[in-house]
Structure formats: C-alpha cells, structure tokens
Amino acid sequence: MRRLFSSVIRWFIVLGWRDIASAPFDCAIELAVIDDKQRPLGFPCIRRADGWFNLGTMQVVKASPTHWRYWQPDVLPMSCC
C-alpha cells in the first residue's frame, strides 16, 4: 500500500500537482483528492479565508482536497482580431 501511495504522489508531482498547504488564495485552481484512488475534481475552484468554492457556482466544495494545480481550461480564450 505504501508503494502505491508513493507512486500516486509521484504521478501528481509530474503533472504539476502541489501540496494543498501551498495553494494560493483568490486564484483559479484545480483541486484533487487522494483517497483510495487519485481523482481531480474537474472544475475550477477558488480558495478563500472561509474555505474552498467552485469558481463557476460559488458553491462550497465539500471534498477534502490534498493537491492543487493552476486551472487549465479546455478551450483557451481567443481573439477575433
């Protein structure tokens, strides 16, 4: 089990995941949870003094995140000019 946990942590680090304690405030980030498996939450979140919020809905995130990375949207903003 310890080996599995170590490999999961390495996988997160390679993909730009960082420890949750270092997450910035007021910035669009993606959260992930490691429990019996690793899983990103899949939506942008924001950290405030009173907790984690879904950036799109401003609903409280009820998960206990363990890692974060900067949010990378699927579609990048484009200019018409």
Side-chain angles (χ1 to χ4, degrees):
M1 184 67 169
R2 186 179 191 121
R3 178 186 272 165
L4 174 64
F5 188 72
S6 295
S7 65
V8 168
I9 295 297
R10 269 188 256 114
W11 179 81
F12 271 99
I13 291 169
V14 166
L15 293 177
W17 293 98
R18 300 174 178 142
D19 186 71
I20 198 66
S22 67
F25 286 87
D26 298 321
C27 183
I29 59 176
E30 183 175 14
L31 299 176
V33 176
I34 297 177
D35 40 27
D36 56 332
K37 58 184 174 184
Q38 72 264 8
R39 58 187 170 89
L41 297 184
F43 51 85
C45 297
I46 190 167
R47 182 181 187 188
R48 297 281 172 99
D50 52 343
W52 296 102
F53 295 88
N54 179 322
L55 192 58
T57 65
M58 291 310 289
Q59 297 284 330
V60 174
V61 174
K62 298 191 191 256
S64 296
T66 56
H67 289 78
W68 73 276
R69 68 180 172 188
Y70 289 104
W71 175 252
Q72 300 171 1
D74 293 332
V75 179
L76 297 174
M78 296 178 67
S79 172
C80 64
C81 306

